[in-house]
Amino acid sequence: MRNLFVVLLCAFCITTSWAQLTQPPFTPAVERMKGVEKRQALQEQSVVAGIPFRSAGPTVFSGRVADIDVWEKDPSHFYVAYASGGLWKTENNGTTFYPLFDQEAVMTIGDIAVDWNTNTIWVGTGEVNASRSSYAGMGVYKSTDGGKNWQHLGLGESHHIGRILLHPTDPNTAWVAVLGHLYSPNQERGLYKTTDGGKSWKRTLFIHDNAGVVDLMIDPDNPDRLYAASWERTRRAWNFVESGNGSGIHLSEDGGETWSLLTTKSSGFPTGEGVGRIGLAMMKENGKPVLYASLDNYFRRPKKEEKSDNLTKDMLRSMSKEAFLKLPSYKIKDYLRSNRFPDQYDVKAVKKMIKQDEIKPKALVEYTENANSLLFDTPVIGLEVYRSDDAGKSWKRTHDDYIDAVYNSYGYYFGQIRVAPDNSDKVYALGVPVMRSDDGGKSFTSINGANVHGDHHALWINPARPGHLVLGNDGGINISYDDGENWIKCNSPAVGQFYAIAVDMAEPYNIYGGLQDNGVWFGSSNYKASERWHSTGQYPYRSILGGDGMQVAVDTRDNKTVYTGFQFGNYFRINTETGKRKFITPKHQLGESPLRWNWQTPVHISVHNQDILYIGAHKLYRSFNRGDDFTAISEDLTTGGIKGDVAFSTLASIHESPLQFGLIYTGSDDGLVHVTRDGGVSWENITQGLPEDMWVSRVQASAHEKGRVYVSLNGYRWDDFRAFIYQSDDYGKTWQRLGRDLPLEPVNVFKEDPSNEDVLYVGTDHGTYVSLDRGQSFMAFMEGLPLTPVHDLVIHDKAKDLVIGTHGRSIYVGSVKELQQLDNQLLKKDLHAFAMDAIRYSSRWGNSRAAWREASTPKVHIPIYASEKGPVEIEIRMGKDLLLKKHNAVLSKGLNYVEYDLSMDDKQLEAYNKALNKKTKKDAKPIQVKQADNGMAYLHKGEYAVKVSRGNATAATSLKVK
C-alpha cells in the first residue's frame, strides 16, 4: 500500500473541542539553529560518543528518493537525494554510493541542483511531499568542493523546498521554490532569488501564508523566462486540505523579478478550490517551448449512474427499514459476502437486527468504512495532464478519459512530470506507477517493471541517449536503457525508513522491523553488507509482509511467532518458519461506530504471559489466546475524535508494566495518557500536568519501580520542535519534566534501560541520546551514526546491544554493555578497563592462502573509560612478568574502544614459546609460534593480562584467546 493520508467520512469522527483549537506557535528557525548548537554541545561533552555503532542493514530494499542530478557528460556519475536519508553520490552507475550530507543540521532533502563544471552542489532541505513522515528542513546549503564542506545559506523558515534552479551561465544566480511549513501557516513561502551565490535572498513571488511554490522550470535558451507552480495546502494532524485557489502556474519574463498568473479562467487550465499540486516540464521544439503540467485535481468526478441490480452502499444510506426487509435475500447475501462481513452477520441475523430496530440499513455501510476503503472510494478526478504550445498562455488537457489508479486521492505525494528532450510527444508521469505516453499524453502505459517499486518521485532523461532513464522511487534507484522496458536496480545504500523494530531471543538474535512502503522484514543481528547474496540467492533479511510495515511484537518462547501488520490496524499473526498467517484485527459490532486505527497501530505482548496480546484502536483490546479473539477492555481513551479527513484520536502507544500484570498505560495521538491498575476494569486519565494536545509518542512503565512511568510527547504536527519527556513516580498523579538540556528535536521514542534504572535512551528527529542520571542531563551517541530521524529503540537485555531503528538509514547496532556500568563510582575513576570479549584462535592469522588474497588478521577492542582525554600506555603480558606488547593510544574523555590486533613484539617470540611449553607434557607436540606470512607473530590460545596506565593511574583487564 502507498504512503497516503486517508480520507475518512464524517461518520468516523465526532466534532470535539479540538475544532476550536488555536494554532500554537511554531518553533522559529533561529531557535532551531540554536538547538543545533546544543546538539553539537551534547556531542562534544558526551562520554558515550566513542561507542561504535555498525549498520545492520538491510539494503535489499531502499528508501524514498526525493531528487536525482546526473552529469550529462558521464551519466555514470550522479547524486541521489533521499527524503530522510541524506545525499549520496555514485561514480560507477549506481553500483556503489557514498554519503555526503550526514552531519548537517537536517538530513531531509526536497531538491538538489549541481553545477558540474565547478563541482558545486546546492541542497534544498525539507522533503517536498506532504506525507506523515515528511520532515521539515532548515533552508538551503551549498558546497563548492563536491560535498566535503557545507555552508548554510539561510531560508530557515522554508521547511520544505520543491525545486532549486541554477542560472545556466551566471553561477551566482539561483532560484528556490519554497513550499513552506507543513503544519502551520507562514509568511516566508514563495519564490526566492539570489544574485550573489546565496549570501542574500529576495522573495519575488508570494501568494499567501498557506500557498507556497512547489515546482519551477527555466527556458534554457532564455533564462529570463521562468515558470513557477504554486500550491495551496493546509495540513493538521486530523485534516489535510490538498488544494485551493492559491494553486496555479506563474510566468516571469525578467529573470524571476516579477510574475504573472497564467492559469486564469480563460486559460483552459482548471482554477479554484479543487486545484492541487502541479508539476511542470518543458522541452524546446523548433526553438519554441512545449510545456506540460501534471495536476492533482481535487474536483469531484460526476456521479455515475448505477446500472447494476446489486445492492449498493448509496442505496443503503437512505433506505428505510421497510424497504430493506422487502429486499430479496440473495441481494443482501451478495452484499454481505462482497464486503466480507463476519459469518455471525448472515442474512437472517441482519434482518432480525433491522426488524427489531437494533440497527438501521445505513449501519451496513458504516460497518465497512475503514480507513483504506474510504481512501479509494474518494471520487476525485486525480491526475490530469495539460499541454501548452504558446508559452503557457493557453492549456489543453491531453487526454479524454480519466487517468485512473495513478494518483487516486494522494497526488500530494507525487506531482512530477517529465518530457523527453528530443520528442515533445514522449511524456512521463510519476505516481503509482510510473507511466509513459508516446502520443503527447493522449494515452499512457505503465513502465513499472517487476523489480521497480510502485511510488515514484524523480526521473532524469538522458538528452544524449534516448531511452536512458534514471528513476527514483520509494524503493531507491532504477536505471533503464530501453525507455522503461527493462530496469537495473541499484540498492547498495542502507536507507530504509523504519517505523518500528523488535528483537527475539535467538542466538544470534534476529531484528524485525516495519518500514514506510517496504513492508515488514526480519534478519540476523550479525548482518554484514555483502553482494554475495547475488550468487547464493539467500539475502540475510526476509520479507514477511507487504504494505507500509508497522509495529512488530515477537513471542520469544519460540522466536517464530510474530504479530505485525500494515497501516491502520491491519494486523496478523505470522509463523516465520512455515509462513502461515492469520488476520487478527478486532472488529467493531454491527451498529457500533467504526474503530479508529492509527497509521502506526500499537501492538504489545505481555511479558507475564506471551499468550496475552494488546492492540489499540481508540479503545484498548486484549486477547488471551494469541489474537484469536479480542475483547475491548476500555471505552474511548482519546478525546473522542474530530471532523477531518485524516485518521485521528487513536491510541499511539501501549505498555504494560514488567512488574505487575494488568498495570497498563496508553497514550493517544491527541494527547491523552491513561492508566489501569486492574487489567482494564477501571481507567484513570493521568494527562493533568502534561503539555496539552501533543502526540504521545511513547509511554513506558518502569522495570525498576512499580509506580514509575515515563511519557514522551511530540509536537511536530504543530511545527513545534521542542523535546518533551516526563517522569512520574506515583502512577501519573504528578509529573516531572526530564531532558531540559535536549536540543529542539521532537522525541519519537523513549526507552528505559532494563539493567540500570538511571540510564534512559531517547530517539529524536535528528539522533539518539542517553542519560546516565535518569533524565537530568543527556549526551549524544556519535560514532558511526548519521544524524537521521530515529523512530524506535530496543535494548537487547541478553546481548547488551542497543538496536536503533532509523527513518532514513535503516538499522544500527551498538553494544551498551560498558555504558550500563557507568555509575557514579566508576565515573569518578581516572581510568577503568572493562572485561573484554573473548576471541577464537585461528592458525590462519597473518597467513595468505594465495598471493592475490590479503592475509586474515584478527582484532579485538579494549574497552576503557577515561576521565580526561590524553595518551595512555597499554601493556599485554603473559602472566605477571612476560611483556609481549607495549603500545600507546590517545583516549578521548569517556568510553574508548582501543583496537588491538593480537600481535606481539617479535623480540619476545623465543621467551613466549618457552613459556607456552612450560606445562606441555613430554610426549606432546611442542607449541611453536612463528612469524606469519605478513611478518607478524600473533598470540596463541590462553589468557593474557592487559594493563592501561597514565601517570599514577592504572586499570587492568584480561584477554582470553579461546
Side-chain angles (χ1 to χ4, degrees):
M1 302 300 295
R2 313 301 164 204
N3 180 357
L4 27 98
F5 291 98
V6 174
V7 177
L8 303 177
L9 292 181
C10 292
F12 262 79
C13 312
I14 302 171
T15 303
T16 71
S17 58
W18 276 78
Q20 284 76 46
L21 281 179
T22 301
Q23 174 84 39
F26 62 82
T27 304
V30 63
E31 295 300 319
R32 293 177 65 202
M33 286 306 287
K34 290 178 182 177
V36 174
E37 295 172 5
K38 184 174 281 191
R39 180 204 306 167
Q40 292 168 346
L42 295 185
Q43 293 171 341
E44 292 167 2
Q45 300 164 10
S46 177
V47 301
V48 300
I51 295 178
F53 283 83
R54 60 178 175 84
S55 173
T59 61
V60 65
F61 49 77
S62 187
R64 187 159 65 250
V65 171
D67 194 25
I68 302 164
D69 202 300
V70 185
W71 190 18
E72 291 185 7
K73 291 182 179 179
D74 183 357
S76 68
H77 292 229
F78 58 87
Y79 293 92
V80 179
Y82 289 89
S84 57
L87 178 67
W88 296 68
K89 186 179 182 182
T90 180
E91 296 175 341
N92 53 20
N93 205 36
T95 305
T96 58
F97 294 82
Y98 55 91
L100 298 169
F101 201 70
D102 279 9
Q103 301 299 321
E104 304 311 312
V106 293
M107 284 182 63
T108 175
I109 300 176
D111 194 62
I112 58 174
V114 181
D115 183 338
W116 290 90
N117 294 321
T118 62
N119 209 23
T120 299
I121 312 167
W122 297 64
V123 173
T125 61
E127 182 190 0
V128 68
N129 292 321
S131 71
R132 51 189 47 77
S133 57
S134 293
Y135 288 96
M138 286 286 285
V140 176
Y141 286 77
K142 180 181 176 182
S143 172
T144 56
D145 55 10
K148 295 176 183 176
N149 298 283
W150 294 94
Q151 178 187 3
H152 185 240
L153 302 181
L155 299 182
E157 295 295 356
S158 58
H159 278 211
H160 300 274
I161 288 177
R163 192 75 69 203
I164 297 179
L165 286 183
L166 306 183
H167 194 286
T169 57
D170 179 3
N172 288 316
T173 297
W175 300 268
V176 177
V178 171
L179 190 54
H181 295 190
L182 180 55
Y183 288 99
S184 57
N186 72 303
Q187 288 285 321
E188 295 83 2
R189 305 172 192 264
L191 193 285
Y192 287 81
K193 179 181 180 179
T194 180
T195 55
D196 55 12
K199 295 176 183 176
S200 63
W201 296 92
K202 177 184 178 183
R203 190 179 66 186
T204 62
L205 175 62
F206 175 72
I207 295 89
H208 58 70
D209 60 6
N210 276 316
V213 177
V214 67
D215 208 352
L216 184 65
M217 62 182 179
I218 189 169
D219 187 328
D221 301 324
N222 180 8
D224 283 337
R225 180 183 290 153
L226 296 103
Y227 297 86
S230 60
W231 178 23
E232 178 175 345
R233 84 227 196 297
T234 305
R235 165 117 222 204
R236 299 296 179 267
W238 61 89
N239 192 49
F240 187 24
V241 180
E242 302 92 338
S243 60
N245 285 306
S247 302
I249 302 174
H250 309 259
L251 169 67
S252 174
E253 297 194 270
D254 56 8
E257 294 295 325
T258 61
W259 295 85
S260 59
L261 179 65
L262 292 174
T263 50
T264 60
K265 289 184 178 180
S266 61
S267 68
F269 197 91
T271 60
E273 293 291 338
V275 179
R277 181 171 171 175
I278 298 168
L280 300 174
M282 177 199 294
M283 62 90 64
K284 299 299 285 287
E285 190 172 62
N286 300 320
K288 295 182 179 180
V290 176
L291 310 180
Y292 282 94
S294 61
L295 170 64
D296 179 22
N297 192 326
Y298 267 82
F299 286 107
R300 293 298 193 256
R301 299 186 181 192
K303 197 167 185 178
K304 288 183 179 180
E305 291 292 330
E306 293 287 349
K307 296 181 181 179
S308 171
D309 189 42
N310 294 336
L311 183 61
T312 67
K313 293 179 181 179
D314 284 341
M315 294 177 186
L316 288 166
R317 284 192 179 98
S318 58
M319 187 174 287
S320 67
K321 167 184 173 179
E322 292 73 21
F324 183 86
L325 294 174
K326 291 178 182 179
L327 288 171
S329 293
Y330 76 87
K331 285 193 176 185
I332 303 173
K333 183 178 180 180
D334 287 346
Y335 177 86
L336 297 174
R337 184 171 59 234
S338 63
N339 286 281
R340 299 182 180 180
F341 275 68
D343 293 340
Q344 71 189 84
Y345 299 122
D346 58 14
V347 175
K348 183 178 178 181
V350 169
K351 278 191 170 183
K352 182 181 178 182
M353 293 175 75
I354 289 178
K355 187 174 183 179
Q356 296 178 355
D357 293 320
E358 295 177 26
I359 61 171
K360 294 181 179 180
K362 67 178 182 180
L364 296 173
V365 181
E366 294 169 352
Y367 185 81
T368 69
E369 289 172 343
N370 61 60
N372 283 332
S373 66
L374 287 172
L375 170 75
F376 290 106
D377 284 349
T378 306
V380 299
I381 291 172
L383 171 63
E384 290 187 312
V385 176
Y386 288 83
R387 175 170 170 159
S388 174
D389 290 291
D390 56 6
K393 296 176 184 175
S394 64
W395 297 83
K396 184 178 180 181
R397 196 173 70 175
T398 64
H399 47 97
D400 295 327
D401 297 327
Y402 296 119
I403 306 177
D404 286 322
V406 180
Y407 276 10
N408 293 296
S409 60
Y410 45 97
Y412 63 85
Y413 189 56
F414 303 112
Q416 302 285 344
I417 189 168
R418 302 288 186 269
V419 57
D422 63 332
N423 184 349
S424 64
D425 286 333
K426 183 165 287 187
V427 186
Y428 304 82
L430 279 63
V432 184
V434 56
M435 309 283 284
R436 188 187 74 215
S437 173
D438 296 323
D439 54 13
K442 294 178 183 176
S443 62
F444 285 87
T445 57
S446 171
I447 54 172
N448 223 104
N451 63 337
V452 178
H453 199 283
D455 296 21
H456 301 277
H457 309 283
L459 178 68
W460 177 80
I461 306 168
N462 191 338
R465 177 173 176 171
H468 179 197
L469 311 175
V470 182
L471 175 67
N473 49 54
D474 276 13
I477 291 292
N478 292 92
I479 300 174
S480 176
Y481 288 95
D482 52 15
D483 216 9
E485 296 299 319
N486 299 279
W487 295 91
I488 304 165
K489 197 169 187 69
C490 305
N491 273 13
S492 62
V495 286
Q497 295 176 301
F498 278 88
Y499 283 115
I501 54 171
V503 296
D504 62 19
M505 291 296 161
E507 291 188 10
Y509 66 90
N510 293 296
I511 304 173
Y512 303 75
L515 303 106
Q516 163 60 38
D517 223 4
N518 280 286
V520 181
W521 295 69
F522 82 101
S524 177
S525 58
N526 63 7
Y527 165 93
K528 291 182 180 178
S530 169
E531 291 76 40
R532 182 162 173 75
W533 70 275
H534 289 286
S535 58
T536 65
Q538 301 294 321
Y539 191 79
Y541 278 77
R542 186 155 60 91
S543 172
I544 55 175
L545 195 67
D548 289 280
M550 294 299 159
Q551 292 196 10
V552 186
V554 186
D555 188 330
T556 57
R557 295 172 300 184
D558 62 10
N559 296 319
K560 61 185 180 184
T561 301
V562 175
Y563 303 90
T564 189
F566 56 84
Q567 62 266 49
F568 301 114
N570 292 284
Y571 272 58
F572 302 81
R573 185 179 68 228
I574 300 173
N575 185 302
T576 57
E577 189 175 277
T578 65
K580 185 179 179 181
R581 67 176 63 177
K582 179 180 180 179
F583 185 72
I584 61 169
T585 302
K587 297 279 286 184
H588 58 292
Q589 298 297 309
L590 184 57
E592 291 182 339
S593 297
L595 300 178
R596 297 191 301 271
W597 298 101
N598 194 279
W599 169 259
Q600 188 186 151
T601 294
V603 63
H604 181 68
I605 288 180
S606 174
V607 298
H608 306 286
N609 179 347
Q610 294 190 64
D611 284 343
I612 300 174
L613 182 70
Y614 301 96
I615 191 168
H618 59 280
K619 304 175 181 180
L620 183 64
Y621 285 82
R622 180 177 61 204
S623 170
F624 285 113
N625 53 12
R626 306 191 312 148
D628 286 339
D629 301 293
F630 278 96
T631 302
I633 60 170
S634 77
E635 296 301 318
D636 193 339
L637 297 174
T638 75
T639 60
I642 182 170
K643 185 177 180 179
D645 65 1
V646 177
F648 190 65
S649 288
T650 65
L651 293 184
S653 183
I654 306 164
H655 197 234
E656 182 181 44
S657 169
L659 303 178
Q660 178 184 321
F661 174 71
L663 173 56
I664 309 165
Y665 296 88
T666 67
S668 68
D669 58 10
D670 54 11
L672 298 190
V673 182
H674 284 84
V675 62
T676 177
R677 300 196 213 180
D678 51 21
V681 176
S682 60
W683 287 87
E684 182 183 358
N685 185 333
I686 55 173
T687 312
Q688 181 93 24
L690 297 173
E692 294 182 353
D693 306 331
M694 297 296 174
W695 192 291
V696 181
S697 57
R698 278 298 189 283
V699 286
Q700 173 106 94
S702 174
H704 302 285
E705 290 289 339
K706 190 159 57 170
R708 185 177 298 161
V709 59
Y710 298 93
V711 171
S712 63
L713 303 106
N714 189 307
Y716 174 68
R717 290 162 185 81
W718 295 112
D719 286 327
D720 184 337
F721 295 88
R722 289 176 291 174
F724 293 118
I725 305 168
Y726 289 82
Q727 174 191 324
S728 172
D729 283 324
D730 53 14
Y731 301 94
K733 286 186 172 62
T734 59
W735 295 97
Q736 174 193 0
R737 188 172 177 186
L738 307 179
R740 292 179 181 272
D741 63 338
L742 282 168
L744 288 167
E745 299 171 5
V747 175
N748 299 313
V749 56
F750 172 96
K751 289 292 176 74
E752 177 192 57
D753 190 272
S755 301
N756 186 336
E757 66 176 328
D758 291 329
V759 175
L760 308 176
Y761 306 89
V762 168
T764 74
D765 281 354
H766 300 292
T768 311
Y769 302 86
V770 64
S771 172
L772 303 180
D773 54 13
R774 212 182 311 157
Q776 298 309 303
S777 62
F778 279 85
M779 56 192 73
F781 291 108
M782 287 180 59
E783 184 66 31
L785 292 174
L787 298 176
T788 191
V790 173
H791 273 226
D792 208 358
L793 299 168
V794 174
I795 304 95
H796 196 287
D797 197 22
K798 189 175 179 181
K800 307 297 183 185
D801 281 344
L802 174 62
V803 185
I804 302 176
T806 78
H807 198 79
R809 293 295 282 272
S810 292
I811 298 170
Y812 286 83
V813 177
S815 174
V816 291
K817 181 171 58 176
E818 289 78 31
L819 182 154
Q820 291 174 330
Q821 302 173 52
L822 292 179
D823 56 21
N824 287 330
Q825 185 176 352
L826 192 152
L827 289 170
K828 292 176 182 176
K829 293 182 178 182
D830 290 329
L831 289 174
H832 180 82
F834 299 87
M836 295 177 63
D837 291 333
I839 187 171
R840 188 166 295 280
Y841 171 77
S842 172
S843 59
R844 296 176 183 169
W845 289 344
N847 294 317
S848 179
R849 287 182 286 175
W852 48 267
R853 177 177 289 178
E854 288 187 11
S856 132
T857 53
K859 70 177 178 181
V860 294
H861 288 99
I862 307 170
I864 306 167
Y865 169 78
S867 62
E868 298 294 337
K869 66 179 180 180
V872 295
E873 185 177 76
I874 300 175
E875 296 178 351
I876 311 296
R877 291 179 179 271
M878 183 180 186
K880 293 182 179 179
D881 301 321
L882 183 55
L883 177 64
L884 300 177
K885 179 94 175 203
K886 180 189 288 188
H887 62 283
N888 296 322
V890 178
L891 303 185
S892 302
K893 179 180 178 179
L895 288 174
N896 296 263
Y897 295 84
V898 179
E899 191 172 296
Y900 169 48
D901 64 2
L902 275 78
S903 67
M904 70 179 76
D905 187 340
D906 54 14
K907 294 178 182 177
Q908 300 292 85
L909 197 51
E910 183 178 345
Y912 179 58
N913 279 319
K914 186 176 180 180
L916 283 174
N917 287 285
K918 263 186 180 179
K919 295 182 180 180
T920 305
K921 294 180 180 179
K922 292 183 178 180
D923 56 345
K925 183 179 179 181
I927 300 170
Q928 189 68 28
V929 175
K930 300 178 180 179
Q931 287 185 340
D933 294 344
N934 63 359
M936 309 281 282
Y938 293 96
L939 299 184
H940 200 265
K941 289 175 285 185
E943 189 163 347
Y944 302 88
V946 180
K947 180 182 176 183
V948 184
S949 58
R950 178 168 62 194
N952 295 324
T954 62
T957 185
S958 62
L959 166 63
K960 183 176 287 186
V961 182
K962 298 194 294 183

